[in-house]
Amino acid sequence: MLTALEKGVKGGVWFSLIDKVYSKRNLLSAFKRVKANRGSAGVDHITVEKFSKRLQNNIEKVHKRLKEGSYYPQKIRRVYIPKPGSKEKRPLGIPTVRDRVVQAALRHVIEPIFERDFSDNSYAFRPGRSCKDALREVDRLLKGGYEHVVDVDIESYFDSIPHDRLMEQIREKIADGRVLRLVESFLKQGVLEGMREWRPEEGTPQGGVISPLLANIYLDPLDHLMKAKGFRMIRYADDLVVLCCSEKEAHKVLEQIKEWIRTAGLRFHLEEMRVVDMRQVGSGFDFLGYHFERTSHRERISRWPRKKSMQRLKDMIRERTRRNNGNSLEQIIELINPTLKGWFEYFKHSHKWTFPWLDRWVRMRLRSILRKRAGGRGRGRGLDNNRWPNAFFTAHGLFSLSAAHEAVCQSLKR
């Protein structure tokens, strides 16, 4: 396959791939991937740990069924998880461990075929690419004078991809009927939601190992359309922006993207599809958890965590710093430090004023716990700041966002 990927295959279409999918070596490698991602059990209640206890036997069964053509995926367990910074919840489909292994094995085989031709402006779920790469490119283009931004919002993208059109795109590169049927069986997997069972007519279930690849495949024509026309689009899954040099070009791009989305059988939020003039003070847009904004004519465009990203952090800290918390201060700090460190690692390139007030807010939460334990009421404030100064929390090992940001700045200066 590697040789063929380099030289190409006749007609650009791949045959006889199923034997590579059901290869025991591939299935074992797929299980390692599933195990690393962890995750919950599906409808059969078999966890990753339980599957691994009889690994060779389970792999042998999957291998045999795929080889014989008698493999059929089980139902997906549907759960709902909170949306960051919102009271709404989003659906998440949890396939069984066995099905996740098969999806990972299938992805190992077909991903290189499509990855070879994916556009450079696509960053999500791709080898060697990340959110930070997409953010760096946005930053580079803004500094390069591309200050008219087309902000695009595809409505419920993962849940609305048309199955028939997606399969047409896959057939352009893959002609192995058994592989195609396997892909389609995962698209049409039954869903178990409480006591209700149903089969989706569109969309790729969020939570499936193969769903991110399928989502990239369906938007690939848009990537190439924008690139062919010379437009600077940066896409991470369904989160995308196009940066333009003029307002005229930006509005032209916006209309073309709207038309493409309609033609592709997708939907968009009309009120959220807009052109943002980043030359204007106060103008801004959100992308991958960050908010980009022009704060003054003299300063360059700044960025900081968007409101939902801030809210998500605060919700996580609140959960661990309730005033009736029975843990010691050291234990509480030990619980929240990983959250603060992980959040900082992603948002460390935010404007410097982002961090001091968040540090103050975290210390206020801790002072409120100490205040209650000392017989007081309400939030930690006033004399509490003298009773438990900042140095007190530093001595107890509390991670400081401000200190970490200062260290990053010093390192960059060196």
Side-chain angles (χ1 to χ4, degrees):
M1 280 193 71
L2 289 171
T3 303
L5 281 168
E6 290 296 325
K7 297 181 179 179
V9 292
K10 189 175 181 180
V13 182
W14 291 74
F15 297 84
S16 303
L17 292 172
I18 192 65
D19 60 312
K20 298 164 184 63
V21 176
Y22 64 64
S23 155
K24 291 180 185 177
R25 183 180 175 186
N26 183 29
L27 290 170
L28 285 167
S29 176
F31 173 74
K32 289 180 182 177
R33 182 172 186 165
V34 171
K35 185 178 180 180
N37 290 335
R38 296 179 289 182
S40 305
V43 294
D44 60 359
H45 306 294
I46 295 176
T47 62
V48 173
E49 291 73 21
K50 192 173 181 180
F51 191 93
S52 66
K53 286 180 180 177
R54 302 189 64 195
L55 182 60
Q56 293 300 329
N57 187 50
N58 286 327
I59 293 297
E60 180 64 39
K61 285 181 180 178
V62 172
H63 164 79
K64 185 179 179 181
R65 288 180 182 177
L66 285 169
K67 189 175 182 178
E68 293 173 347
S70 60
Y71 175 89
Y72 295 99
Q74 295 168 283
K75 292 181 178 63
I76 292 172
R77 181 166 66 90
R78 171 64 65 90
V79 297
Y80 289 86
I81 61 175
K83 279 188 176 183
S86 170
K87 293 182 179 180
E88 296 179 24
K89 293 188 176 183
R90 70 180 179 91
L92 183 68
I94 304 177
T96 62
V97 174
R98 186 198 71 168
D99 288 342
R100 298 207 295 269
V101 169
V102 175
Q103 286 191 30
L106 178 61
R107 183 172 175 173
H108 284 169
V109 174
I110 69 173
E111 184 173 55
I113 295 170
F114 291 94
E115 175 64 31
R116 183 173 179 267
D117 298 321
F118 278 159
S119 172
D120 290 341
N121 59 13
S122 167
Y123 291 86
F125 318 119
R126 297 183 60 190
R129 288 177 165 245
S130 67
C131 290
K132 291 186 177 181
D133 295 319
L135 289 165
R136 286 190 196 100
E137 183 63 9
V138 169
D139 191 54
R140 185 186 72 81
L141 289 170
L142 287 170
K143 290 176 180 175
Y146 293 83
E147 296 182 315
H148 296 271
V149 180
V150 181
D151 192 6
V152 178
D153 183 16
I154 302 177
E155 183 181 348
S156 303
Y157 172 61
F158 280 84
D159 294 328
S160 59
I161 299 173
H163 290 172
D164 54 346
R165 298 186 188 187
L166 173 60
M167 291 306 300
E168 283 178 17
Q169 286 181 230
I170 295 173
R171 288 189 189 97
E172 290 176 6
K173 294 183 183 293
I174 295 176
D176 187 322
R178 290 173 66 182
V179 168
L180 292 170
R181 285 193 294 274
L182 190 58
V183 173
E184 196 161 18
S185 72
F186 285 124
L187 286 175
K188 298 185 181 301
Q189 259 179 293
V191 178
L192 184 63
E193 186 175 346
M195 299 299 292
R196 187 169 71 98
E197 294 183 21
W198 53 280
R199 288 190 179 275
E201 296 182 1
E202 59 183 13
T204 60
Q206 295 187 55
V209 178
I210 201 164
S211 294
L213 172 62
L214 299 179
N216 271 340
I217 290 172
Y218 198 65
L219 285 180
D220 186 53
L222 176 62
D223 296 337
H224 285 286
L225 174 66
M226 292 292 104
K227 188 173 182 179
K229 292 181 175 290
F231 300 137
R232 273 75 174 179
M233 184 173 84
I234 298 94
R235 181 177 70 80
Y236 193 93
D238 57 338
D239 198 355
L240 63 98
V241 289
V242 187
L243 287 86
C244 305
C245 287
S246 70
E247 185 177 0
K248 182 179 179 181
E249 181 185 64
H251 282 287
K252 180 181 177 182
V253 170
L254 180 60
E255 291 308 312
Q256 290 190 11
I257 291 179
K258 283 181 181 179
E259 182 58 31
W260 188 92
I261 291 174
R262 289 191 196 99
T263 304
L266 301 172
R267 302 180 294 274
F268 55 82
H269 293 284
L270 184 61
E271 67 279 3
E272 295 182 30
M273 297 277 282
R274 63 197 182 111
V275 171
V276 182
D277 185 352
M278 294 300 288
R279 300 171 304 172
Q280 304 298 318
V281 175
S283 292
F285 65 96
D286 294 338
F287 186 62
L288 294 181
Y290 273 93
H291 178 73
F292 293 80
E293 187 173 312
R294 169 77 69 182
T295 54
S296 76
H297 287 299
R298 289 174 295 179
E299 292 185 16
R300 64 190 181 117
I301 294 168
S302 299
R303 61 173 165 170
W304 54 83
R306 68 174 187 165
K307 289 180 180 179
K308 286 186 178 180
S309 301
M310 290 284 202
Q311 191 61 47
R312 184 181 185 187
L313 174 66
K314 293 174 82 171
D315 287 345
M316 292 170 75
I317 298 298
R318 279 194 187 100
E319 185 65 30
R320 294 164 173 78
T321 56
R322 297 186 185 279
R323 290 174 208 172
N324 58 358
N325 195 311
N327 294 321
S328 67
L329 180 63
E330 289 78 6
Q331 289 173 319
I332 296 169
I333 288 174
E334 193 175 333
L335 278 172
I336 66 175
N337 271 352
T339 299
L340 292 170
K341 289 176 182 178
W343 190 88
F344 175 77
E345 182 58 33
Y346 187 77
F347 290 106
K348 62 186 175 184
H349 298 294
S350 298
H351 194 282
K352 62 183 180 182
W353 56 254
T354 302
F355 307 104
W357 78 266
L358 271 174
D359 278 336
R360 289 193 294 272
W361 183 83
V362 172
R363 289 193 294 265
M364 179 275 294
R365 295 289 302 179
L366 296 176
R367 287 188 181 109
S368 298
I369 295 172
L370 296 174
R371 179 187 179 95
K372 181 177 175 63
R373 290 178 182 177
R377 288 183 171 185
R379 297 192 306 171
R381 61 187 187 276
L383 293 177
D384 294 333
N385 295 337
N386 297 327
R387 191 176 185 182
W388 299 291
N390 296 352
F392 171 82
F393 296 105
T394 302
H396 280 75
L398 178 65
F399 180 77
S400 169
L401 297 165
S402 301
H405 183 252
E406 189 175 337
V408 168
C409 292
Q410 291 297 327
S411 176
L412 289 174
K413 286 178 182 178
R414 287 198 295 269

